Amino acid sequence: MWNEPCKERLSKIPKLYETEEIPLKDKLIYLHFFVGGCDWYIAEYDGNDLFWGYAILNGDFVNAEWGYISFSELKAIKVEGWLEIDCELEDLWRVRKAGTIDKIRI
């Protein structure tokens, strides 16, 4: 994985179910992972291996959905044996509401 988020950055993400009462469009997105036409937007983290967020696979916006995402599985993904998942750098990704992210609004 390129630019794997540090423990300090991960510690800023709310724990699983902490934002359960917040409408989806208002949930804060703390991390953005991507490779090719795939994007994962992270809103919650269990502190171990499980994220909760929004996933778009292969640019398929019709079937994109909110759900659980394994951090270890993201780290293990390699496209064609060499291209790895990237996490947008902290100074490039600002935490923002899901409803303000174009790919989630689609």
Side-chain angles (χ1 to χ4, degrees), residues 11-43:
S11 72
K12 295 176 184 175
I13 304 170
K15 299 290 183 219
L16 288 181
Y17 310 110
E18 275 187 2
T19 69
E20 197 168 35
E21 302 300 319
I22 297 173
L24 294 175
K25 67 181 178 63
D26 294 329
K27 288 193 185 291
L28 293 177
I29 302 299
Y30 290 84
L31 298 175
H32 174 223
F33 295 99
F34 60 94
V35 67
C38 301
D39 294 273
W40 296 267
Y41 296 94
I42 306 304

PDB file of all heavy atoms in Angstrom, residues 11-43:
ATOM      1  N   SER A  11      -6.256   7.182  14.415  1.00  0.00           N
ATOM      2  CA  SER A  11      -6.885   7.426  15.718  1.00  0.00           C
ATOM      3  C   SER A  11      -7.906   8.560  15.680  1.00  0.00           C
ATOM      4  O   SER A  11      -8.727   8.691  16.585  1.00  0.00           O
ATOM      5  CB  SER A  11      -5.816   7.720  16.774  1.00  0.00           C
ATOM      6  OG  SER A  11      -5.254   9.007  16.573  1.00  0.00           O
ATOM      7  N   LYS A  12      -7.886   9.377  14.655  1.00  0.00           N
ATOM      8  CA  LYS A  12      -8.833  10.500  14.524  1.00  0.00           C
ATOM      9  C   LYS A  12     -10.182  10.070  13.951  1.00  0.00           C
ATOM     10  O   LYS A  12     -11.137  10.837  13.968  1.00  0.00           O
ATOM     11  CB  LYS A  12      -8.224  11.591  13.630  1.00  0.00           C
ATOM     12  CG  LYS A  12      -6.990  12.220  14.235  1.00  0.00           C
ATOM     13  CD  LYS A  12      -6.375  13.220  13.283  1.00  0.00           C
ATOM     14  CE  LYS A  12      -5.078  13.770  13.856  1.00  0.00           C
ATOM     15  NZ  LYS A  12      -4.403  14.663  12.907  1.00  0.00           N
ATOM     16  N   ILE A  13     -10.249   8.845  13.437  1.00  0.00           N
ATOM     17  CA  ILE A  13     -11.485   8.343  12.833  1.00  0.00           C
ATOM     18  C   ILE A  13     -12.409   7.836  13.934  1.00  0.00           C
ATOM     19  O   ILE A  13     -11.977   7.097  14.816  1.00  0.00           O
ATOM     20  CB  ILE A  13     -11.175   7.201  11.836  1.00  0.00           C
ATOM     21  CG1 ILE A  13     -10.176   7.672  10.777  1.00  0.00           C
ATOM     22  CG2 ILE A  13     -12.457   6.685  11.195  1.00  0.00           C
ATOM     23  CD1 ILE A  13      -9.641   6.554   9.903  1.00  0.00           C
ATOM     24  N   PRO A  14     -13.693   8.208  13.898  1.00  0.00           N
ATOM     25  CA  PRO A  14     -14.634   7.706  14.914  1.00  0.00           C
ATOM     26  C   PRO A  14     -14.702   6.182  14.900  1.00  0.00           C
ATOM     27  O   PRO A  14     -14.526   5.551  13.853  1.00  0.00           O
ATOM     28  CB  PRO A  14     -15.981   8.299  14.488  1.00  0.00           C
ATOM     29  CG  PRO A  14     -15.651   9.435  13.597  1.00  0.00           C
ATOM     30  CD  PRO A  14     -14.352   9.102  12.935  1.00  0.00           C
ATOM     31  N   LYS A  15     -14.961   5.613  16.051  1.00  0.00           N
ATOM     32  CA  LYS A  15     -15.110   4.165  16.167  1.00  0.00           C
ATOM     33  C   LYS A  15     -16.388   3.709  15.462  1.00  0.00           C
ATOM     34  O   LYS A  15     -17.309   4.495  15.238  1.00  0.00           O
ATOM     35  CB  LYS A  15     -15.161   3.748  17.638  1.00  0.00           C
ATOM     36  CG  LYS A  15     -13.908   4.096  18.404  1.00  0.00           C
ATOM     37  CD  LYS A  15     -12.753   3.236  17.968  1.00  0.00           C
ATOM     38  CE  LYS A  15     -11.518   3.536  18.779  1.00  0.00           C
ATOM     39  NZ  LYS A  15     -10.308   3.526  18.011  1.00  0.00           N
ATOM     40  N   LEU A  16     -16.435   2.417  15.142  1.00  0.00           N
ATOM     41  CA  LEU A  16     -17.633   1.864  14.505  1.00  0.00           C
ATOM     42  C   LEU A  16     -18.868   2.196  15.335  1.00  0.00           C
ATOM     43  O   LEU A  16     -18.833   2.111  16.564  1.00  0.00           O
ATOM     44  CB  LEU A  16     -17.520   0.345  14.362  1.00  0.00           C
ATOM     45  CG  LEU A  16     -16.546  -0.182  13.320  1.00  0.00           C
ATOM     46  CD1 LEU A  16     -16.587  -1.708  13.287  1.00  0.00           C
ATOM     47  CD2 LEU A  16     -16.821   0.379  11.938  1.00  0.00           C
ATOM     48  N   TYR A  17     -19.917   2.592  14.665  1.00  0.00           N
ATOM     49  CA  TYR A  17     -21.239   2.917  15.223  1.00  0.00           C
ATOM     50  C   TYR A  17     -21.298   4.253  15.962  1.00  0.00           C
ATOM     51  O   TYR A  17     -22.376   4.655  16.380  1.00  0.00           O
ATOM     52  CB  TYR A  17     -21.774   1.793  16.128  1.00  0.00           C
ATOM     53  CG  TYR A  17     -21.693   0.442  15.483  1.00  0.00           C
ATOM     54  CD1 TYR A  17     -20.799  -0.512  15.940  1.00  0.00           C
ATOM     55  CD2 TYR A  17     -22.483   0.130  14.379  1.00  0.00           C
ATOM     56  CE1 TYR A  17     -20.696  -1.757  15.327  1.00  0.00           C
ATOM     57  CE2 TYR A  17     -22.394  -1.103  13.757  1.00  0.00           C
ATOM     58  CZ  TYR A  17     -21.493  -2.041  14.242  1.00  0.00           C
ATOM     59  OH  TYR A  17     -21.393  -3.259  13.634  1.00  0.00           O
ATOM     60  N   GLU A  18     -20.188   4.953  16.137  1.00  0.00           N
ATOM     61  CA  GLU A  18     -20.219   6.244  16.833  1.00  0.00           C
ATOM     62  C   GLU A  18     -20.995   7.304  16.049  1.00  0.00           C
ATOM     63  O   GLU A  18     -21.525   8.233  16.647  1.00  0.00           O
ATOM     64  CB  GLU A  18     -18.803   6.765  17.080  1.00  0.00           C
ATOM     65  CG  GLU A  18     -18.166   6.234  18.317  1.00  0.00           C
ATOM     66  CD  GLU A  18     -16.836   6.893  18.642  1.00  0.00           C
ATOM     67  OE1 GLU A  18     -16.400   7.811  17.929  1.00  0.00           O
ATOM     68  OE2 GLU A  18     -16.227   6.475  19.632  1.00  0.00           O
ATOM     69  N   THR A  19     -21.048   7.174  14.732  1.00  0.00           N
ATOM     70  CA  THR A  19     -21.743   8.179  13.923  1.00  0.00           C
ATOM     71  C   THR A  19     -23.057   7.639  13.358  1.00  0.00           C
ATOM     72  O   THR A  19     -23.593   8.190  12.410  1.00  0.00           O
ATOM     73  CB  THR A  19     -20.845   8.682  12.771  1.00  0.00           C
ATOM     74  OG1 THR A  19     -20.661   7.639  11.824  1.00  0.00           O
ATOM     75  CG2 THR A  19     -19.503   9.163  13.285  1.00  0.00           C
ATOM     76  N   GLU A  20     -23.543   6.571  13.965  1.00  0.00           N
ATOM     77  CA  GLU A  20     -24.736   5.883  13.466  1.00  0.00           C
ATOM     78  C   GLU A  20     -25.947   6.813  13.304  1.00  0.00           C
ATOM     79  O   GLU A  20     -26.748   6.633  12.396  1.00  0.00           O
ATOM     80  CB  GLU A  20     -25.071   4.742  14.428  1.00  0.00           C
ATOM     81  CG  GLU A  20     -25.995   3.722  13.867  1.00  0.00           C
ATOM     82  CD  GLU A  20     -26.057   2.492  14.759  1.00  0.00           C
ATOM     83  OE1 GLU A  20     -25.983   2.624  15.996  1.00  0.00           O
ATOM     84  OE2 GLU A  20     -26.192   1.404  14.196  1.00  0.00           O
ATOM     85  N   GLU A  21     -26.080   7.803  14.160  1.00  0.00           N
ATOM     86  CA  GLU A  21     -27.232   8.711  14.121  1.00  0.00           C
ATOM     87  C   GLU A  21     -27.084   9.837  13.098  1.00  0.00           C
ATOM     88  O   GLU A  21     -28.019  10.592  12.861  1.00  0.00           O
ATOM     89  CB  GLU A  21     -27.484   9.301  15.510  1.00  0.00           C
ATOM     90  CG  GLU A  21     -27.742   8.267  16.596  1.00  0.00           C
ATOM     91  CD  GLU A  21     -28.949   7.386  16.316  1.00  0.00           C
ATOM     92  OE1 GLU A  21     -29.980   7.920  15.838  1.00  0.00           O
ATOM     93  OE2 GLU A  21     -28.859   6.170  16.547  1.00  0.00           O
ATOM     94  N   ILE A  22     -25.919   9.953  12.496  1.00  0.00           N
ATOM     95  CA  ILE A  22     -25.664  11.020  11.529  1.00  0.00           C
ATOM     96  C   ILE A  22     -26.119  10.561  10.141  1.00  0.00           C
ATOM     97  O   ILE A  22     -25.757   9.460   9.711  1.00  0.00           O
ATOM     98  CB  ILE A  22     -24.168  11.392  11.509  1.00  0.00           C
ATOM     99  CG1 ILE A  22     -23.755  11.937  12.882  1.00  0.00           C
ATOM    100  CG2 ILE A  22     -23.849  12.388  10.404  1.00  0.00           C
ATOM    101  CD1 ILE A  22     -22.268  12.171  13.041  1.00  0.00           C
ATOM    102  N   PRO A  23     -26.907  11.374   9.427  1.00  0.00           N
ATOM    103  CA  PRO A  23     -27.326  10.991   8.073  1.00  0.00           C
ATOM    104  C   PRO A  23     -26.108  10.732   7.175  1.00  0.00           C
ATOM    105  O   PRO A  23     -25.061  11.377   7.335  1.00  0.00           O
ATOM    106  CB  PRO A  23     -28.108  12.215   7.575  1.00  0.00           C
ATOM    107  CG  PRO A  23     -28.527  12.938   8.813  1.00  0.00           C
ATOM    108  CD  PRO A  23     -27.442  12.678   9.823  1.00  0.00           C
ATOM    109  N   LEU A  24     -26.240   9.807   6.235  1.00  0.00           N
ATOM    110  CA  LEU A  24     -25.121   9.429   5.378  1.00  0.00           C
ATOM    111  C   LEU A  24     -24.459  10.629   4.711  1.00  0.00           C
ATOM    112  O   LEU A  24     -23.238  10.734   4.677  1.00  0.00           O
ATOM    113  CB  LEU A  24     -25.572   8.419   4.313  1.00  0.00           C
ATOM    114  CG  LEU A  24     -26.003   7.058   4.845  1.00  0.00           C
ATOM    115  CD1 LEU A  24     -26.546   6.195   3.710  1.00  0.00           C
ATOM    116  CD2 LEU A  24     -24.872   6.358   5.573  1.00  0.00           C
ATOM    117  N   LYS A  25     -25.247  11.552   4.196  1.00  0.00           N
ATOM    118  CA  LYS A  25     -24.683  12.703   3.481  1.00  0.00           C
ATOM    119  C   LYS A  25     -23.863  13.617   4.401  1.00  0.00           C
ATOM    120  O   LYS A  25     -23.007  14.363   3.950  1.00  0.00           O
ATOM    121  CB  LYS A  25     -25.771  13.501   2.770  1.00  0.00           C
ATOM    122  CG  LYS A  25     -26.753  14.200   3.694  1.00  0.00           C
ATOM    123  CD  LYS A  25     -27.808  14.954   2.901  1.00  0.00           C
ATOM    124  CE  LYS A  25     -28.829  15.627   3.775  1.00  0.00           C
ATOM    125  NZ  LYS A  25     -28.306  16.649   4.641  1.00  0.00           N
ATOM    126  N   ASP A  26     -24.117  13.530   5.717  1.00  0.00           N
ATOM    127  CA  ASP A  26     -23.423  14.379   6.687  1.00  0.00           C
ATOM    128  C   ASP A  26     -22.264  13.686   7.398  1.00  0.00           C
ATOM    129  O   ASP A  26     -21.556  14.312   8.188  1.00  0.00           O
ATOM    130  CB  ASP A  26     -24.410  14.900   7.731  1.00  0.00           C
ATOM    131  CG  ASP A  26     -25.434  15.851   7.126  1.00  0.00           C
ATOM    132  OD1 ASP A  26     -25.093  16.541   6.150  1.00  0.00           O
ATOM    133  OD2 ASP A  26     -26.566  15.884   7.629  1.00  0.00           O
ATOM    134  N   LYS A  27     -22.060  12.408   7.122  1.00  0.00           N
ATOM    135  CA  LYS A  27     -20.943  11.692   7.748  1.00  0.00           C
ATOM    136  C   LYS A  27     -19.633  12.273   7.247  1.00  0.00           C
ATOM    137  O   LYS A  27     -19.482  12.572   6.068  1.00  0.00           O
ATOM    138  CB  LYS A  27     -21.004  10.203   7.431  1.00  0.00           C
ATOM    139  CG  LYS A  27     -22.120   9.508   8.165  1.00  0.00           C
ATOM    140  CD  LYS A  27     -21.969   8.021   8.094  1.00  0.00           C
ATOM    141  CE  LYS A  27     -23.139   7.317   8.711  1.00  0.00           C
ATOM    142  NZ  LYS A  27     -23.241   7.449  10.146  1.00  0.00           N
ATOM    143  N   LEU A  28     -18.673  12.424   8.152  1.00  0.00           N
ATOM    144  CA  LEU A  28     -17.360  12.922   7.766  1.00  0.00           C
ATOM    145  C   LEU A  28     -16.526  11.783   7.188  1.00  0.00           C
ATOM    146  O   LEU A  28     -16.524  10.672   7.728  1.00  0.00           O
ATOM    147  CB  LEU A  28     -16.642  13.533   8.965  1.00  0.00           C
ATOM    148  CG  LEU A  28     -17.275  14.810   9.513  1.00  0.00           C
ATOM    149  CD1 LEU A  28     -16.520  15.294  10.743  1.00  0.00           C
ATOM    150  CD2 LEU A  28     -17.329  15.897   8.462  1.00  0.00           C
ATOM    151  N   ILE A  29     -15.836  12.068   6.111  1.00  0.00           N
ATOM    152  CA  ILE A  29     -14.968  11.095   5.452  1.00  0.00           C
ATOM    153  C   ILE A  29     -13.527  11.456   5.807  1.00  0.00           C
ATOM    154  O   ILE A  29     -13.046  12.533   5.472  1.00  0.00           O
ATOM    155  CB  ILE A  29     -15.195  11.088   3.929  1.00  0.00           C
ATOM    156  CG1 ILE A  29     -16.661  10.779   3.597  1.00  0.00           C
ATOM    157  CG2 ILE A  29     -14.246  10.118   3.249  1.00  0.00           C
ATOM    158  CD1 ILE A  29     -17.151   9.423   4.074  1.00  0.00           C
ATOM    159  N   TYR A  30     -12.855  10.527   6.476  1.00  0.00           N
ATOM    160  CA  TYR A  30     -11.517  10.777   7.014  1.00  0.00           C
ATOM    161  C   TYR A  30     -10.391  10.301   6.098  1.00  0.00           C
ATOM    162  O   TYR A  30      -9.296  10.857   6.139  1.00  0.00           O
ATOM    163  CB  TYR A  30     -11.377  10.105   8.383  1.00  0.00           C
ATOM    164  CG  TYR A  30     -12.218  10.795   9.419  1.00  0.00           C
ATOM    165  CD1 TYR A  30     -13.560  10.494   9.578  1.00  0.00           C
ATOM    166  CD2 TYR A  30     -11.665  11.784  10.224  1.00  0.00           C
ATOM    167  CE1 TYR A  30     -14.343  11.152  10.510  1.00  0.00           C
ATOM    168  CE2 TYR A  30     -12.437  12.446  11.163  1.00  0.00           C
ATOM    169  CZ  TYR A  30     -13.769  12.130  11.293  1.00  0.00           C
ATOM    170  OH  TYR A  30     -14.543  12.800  12.218  1.00  0.00           O
ATOM    171  N   LEU A  31     -10.642   9.256   5.324  1.00  0.00           N
ATOM    172  CA  LEU A  31      -9.610   8.715   4.441  1.00  0.00           C
ATOM    173  C   LEU A  31     -10.202   8.422   3.065  1.00  0.00           C
ATOM    174  O   LEU A  31     -11.395   8.119   2.947  1.00  0.00           O
ATOM    175  CB  LEU A  31      -9.041   7.403   4.987  1.00  0.00           C
ATOM    176  CG  LEU A  31      -8.333   7.418   6.329  1.00  0.00           C
ATOM    177  CD1 LEU A  31      -7.951   5.995   6.738  1.00  0.00           C
ATOM    178  CD2 LEU A  31      -7.094   8.296   6.281  1.00  0.00           C
ATOM    179  N   HIS A  32      -9.353   8.477   2.066  1.00  0.00           N
ATOM    180  CA  HIS A  32      -9.727   8.104   0.708  1.00  0.00           C
ATOM    181  C   HIS A  32      -8.646   7.183   0.159  1.00  0.00           C
ATOM    182  O   HIS A  32      -7.509   7.594  -0.011  1.00  0.00           O
ATOM    183  CB  HIS A  32      -9.858   9.350  -0.175  1.00  0.00           C
ATOM    184  CG  HIS A  32     -10.092   9.037  -1.614  1.00  0.00           C
ATOM    185  ND1 HIS A  32      -9.448   9.718  -2.623  1.00  0.00           N
ATOM    186  CD2 HIS A  32     -10.880   8.108  -2.219  1.00  0.00           C
ATOM    187  CE1 HIS A  32      -9.843   9.225  -3.797  1.00  0.00           C
ATOM    188  NE2 HIS A  32     -10.703   8.255  -3.565  1.00  0.00           N
ATOM    189  N   PHE A  33      -9.011   5.921  -0.066  1.00  0.00           N
ATOM    190  CA  PHE A  33      -8.131   4.952  -0.707  1.00  0.00           C
ATOM    191  C   PHE A  33      -8.558   4.824  -2.157  1.00  0.00           C
ATOM    192  O   PHE A  33      -9.754   4.923  -2.467  1.00  0.00           O
ATOM    193  CB  PHE A  33      -8.253   3.573  -0.044  1.00  0.00           C
ATOM    194  CG  PHE A  33      -7.790   3.527   1.376  1.00  0.00           C
ATOM    195  CD1 PHE A  33      -8.701   3.593   2.422  1.00  0.00           C
ATOM    196  CD2 PHE A  33      -6.443   3.404   1.678  1.00  0.00           C
ATOM    197  CE1 PHE A  33      -8.273   3.536   3.735  1.00  0.00           C
ATOM    198  CE2 PHE A  33      -6.007   3.341   2.991  1.00  0.00           C
ATOM    199  CZ  PHE A  33      -6.928   3.408   4.027  1.00  0.00           C
ATOM    200  N   PHE A  34      -7.612   4.557  -3.040  1.00  0.00           N
ATOM    201  CA  PHE A  34      -7.972   4.427  -4.459  1.00  0.00           C
ATOM    202  C   PHE A  34      -6.935   3.618  -5.230  1.00  0.00           C
ATOM    203  O   PHE A  34      -5.769   3.527  -4.840  1.00  0.00           O
ATOM    204  CB  PHE A  34      -8.130   5.810  -5.103  1.00  0.00           C
ATOM    205  CG  PHE A  34      -6.887   6.645  -5.059  1.00  0.00           C
ATOM    206  CD1 PHE A  34      -6.007   6.660  -6.121  1.00  0.00           C
ATOM    207  CD2 PHE A  34      -6.590   7.409  -3.941  1.00  0.00           C
ATOM    208  CE1 PHE A  34      -4.843   7.422  -6.074  1.00  0.00           C
ATOM    209  CE2 PHE A  34      -5.440   8.177  -3.884  1.00  0.00           C
ATOM    210  CZ  PHE A  34      -4.558   8.186  -4.959  1.00  0.00           C
ATOM    211  N   VAL A  35      -7.396   3.038  -6.318  1.00  0.00           N
ATOM    212  CA  VAL A  35      -6.537   2.396  -7.324  1.00  0.00           C
ATOM    213  C   VAL A  35      -7.398   2.228  -8.574  1.00  0.00           C
ATOM    214  O   VAL A  35      -8.561   1.825  -8.489  1.00  0.00           O
ATOM    215  CB  VAL A  35      -5.955   1.042  -6.855  1.00  0.00           C
ATOM    216  CG1 VAL A  35      -7.024  -0.017  -6.682  1.00  0.00           C
ATOM    217  CG2 VAL A  35      -4.870   0.559  -7.810  1.00  0.00           C
ATOM    218  N   GLY A  36      -6.856   2.584  -9.722  1.00  0.00           N
ATOM    219  CA  GLY A  36      -7.618   2.469 -10.959  1.00  0.00           C
ATOM    220  C   GLY A  36      -8.958   3.165 -10.838  1.00  0.00           C
ATOM    221  O   GLY A  36      -9.041   4.306 -10.419  1.00  0.00           O
ATOM    222  N   GLY A  37     -10.033   2.487 -11.163  1.00  0.00           N
ATOM    223  CA  GLY A  37     -11.379   3.049 -11.078  1.00  0.00           C
ATOM    224  C   GLY A  37     -12.079   2.738  -9.771  1.00  0.00           C
ATOM    225  O   GLY A  37     -13.306   2.819  -9.684  1.00  0.00           O
ATOM    226  N   CYS A  38     -11.319   2.364  -8.735  1.00  0.00           N
ATOM    227  CA  CYS A  38     -11.906   1.995  -7.443  1.00  0.00           C
ATOM    228  C   CYS A  38     -11.584   3.043  -6.386  1.00  0.00           C
ATOM    229  O   CYS A  38     -10.461   3.547  -6.332  1.00  0.00           O
ATOM    230  CB  CYS A  38     -11.369   0.645  -6.985  1.00  0.00           C
ATOM    231  SG  CYS A  38     -11.705  -0.702  -8.130  1.00  0.00           S
ATOM    232  N   ASP A  39     -12.572   3.342  -5.556  1.00  0.00           N
ATOM    233  CA  ASP A  39     -12.411   4.306  -4.467  1.00  0.00           C
ATOM    234  C   ASP A  39     -13.082   3.766  -3.211  1.00  0.00           C
ATOM    235  O   ASP A  39     -14.172   3.184  -3.290  1.00  0.00           O
ATOM    236  CB  ASP A  39     -13.092   5.635  -4.821  1.00  0.00           C
ATOM    237  CG  ASP A  39     -12.443   6.339  -5.980  1.00  0.00           C
ATOM    238  OD1 ASP A  39     -11.485   7.089  -5.746  1.00  0.00           O
ATOM    239  OD2 ASP A  39     -12.894   6.131  -7.131  1.00  0.00           O
ATOM    240  N   TRP A  40     -12.427   3.990  -2.078  1.00  0.00           N
ATOM    241  CA  TRP A  40     -12.984   3.661  -0.775  1.00  0.00           C
ATOM    242  C   TRP A  40     -12.887   4.901   0.089  1.00  0.00           C
ATOM    243  O   TRP A  40     -11.801   5.458   0.264  1.00  0.00           O
ATOM    244  CB  TRP A  40     -12.211   2.513  -0.125  1.00  0.00           C
ATOM    245  CG  TRP A  40     -12.298   1.214  -0.856  1.00  0.00           C
ATOM    246  CD1 TRP A  40     -13.186   0.199  -0.649  1.00  0.00           C
ATOM    247  CD2 TRP A  40     -11.439   0.767  -1.923  1.00  0.00           C
ATOM    248  NE1 TRP A  40     -12.933  -0.838  -1.509  1.00  0.00           N
ATOM    249  CE2 TRP A  40     -11.863  -0.514  -2.313  1.00  0.00           C
ATOM    250  CE3 TRP A  40     -10.345   1.334  -2.597  1.00  0.00           C
ATOM    251  CZ2 TRP A  40     -11.246  -1.237  -3.320  1.00  0.00           C
ATOM    252  CZ3 TRP A  40      -9.728   0.629  -3.607  1.00  0.00           C
ATOM    253  CH2 TRP A  40     -10.176  -0.650  -3.953  1.00  0.00           C
ATOM    254  N   TYR A  41     -14.026   5.339   0.631  1.00  0.00           N
ATOM    255  CA  TYR A  41     -14.100   6.538   1.478  1.00  0.00           C
ATOM    256  C   TYR A  41     -14.439   6.084   2.893  1.00  0.00           C
ATOM    257  O   TYR A  41     -15.462   5.434   3.113  1.00  0.00           O
ATOM    258  CB  TYR A  41     -15.168   7.486   0.944  1.00  0.00           C
ATOM    259  CG  TYR A  41     -14.850   8.010  -0.432  1.00  0.00           C
ATOM    260  CD1 TYR A  41     -15.340   7.391  -1.567  1.00  0.00           C
ATOM    261  CD2 TYR A  41     -14.048   9.127  -0.593  1.00  0.00           C
ATOM    262  CE1 TYR A  41     -15.043   7.879  -2.836  1.00  0.00           C
ATOM    263  CE2 TYR A  41     -13.740   9.628  -1.858  1.00  0.00           C
ATOM    264  CZ  TYR A  41     -14.242   8.990  -2.970  1.00  0.00           C
ATOM    265  OH  TYR A  41     -13.940   9.475  -4.226  1.00  0.00           O
ATOM    266  N   ILE A  42     -13.608   6.439   3.850  1.00  0.00           N
ATOM    267  CA  ILE A  42     -13.705   5.890   5.200  1.00  0.00           C
ATOM    268  C   ILE A  42     -14.310   6.881   6.197  1.00  0.00           C
ATOM    269  O   ILE A  42     -13.819   7.998   6.347  1.00  0.00           O
ATOM    270  CB  ILE A  42     -12.308   5.450   5.696  1.00  0.00           C
ATOM    271  CG1 ILE A  42     -11.652   4.491   4.690  1.00  0.00           C
ATOM    272  CG2 ILE A  42     -12.382   4.875   7.088  1.00  0.00           C
ATOM    273  CD1 ILE A  42     -12.447   3.244   4.345  1.00  0.00           C
ATOM    274  N   ALA A  43     -15.364   6.411   6.909  1.00  0.00           N
ATOM    275  CA  ALA A  43     -16.055   7.246   7.897  1.00  0.00           C
ATOM    276  C   ALA A  43     -15.870   6.752   9.332  1.00  0.00           C
ATOM    277  O   ALA A  43     -15.941   7.545  10.269  1.00  0.00           O
ATOM    278  CB  ALA A  43     -17.550   7.301   7.574  1.00  0.00           C
TER     279      ALA A  43
END
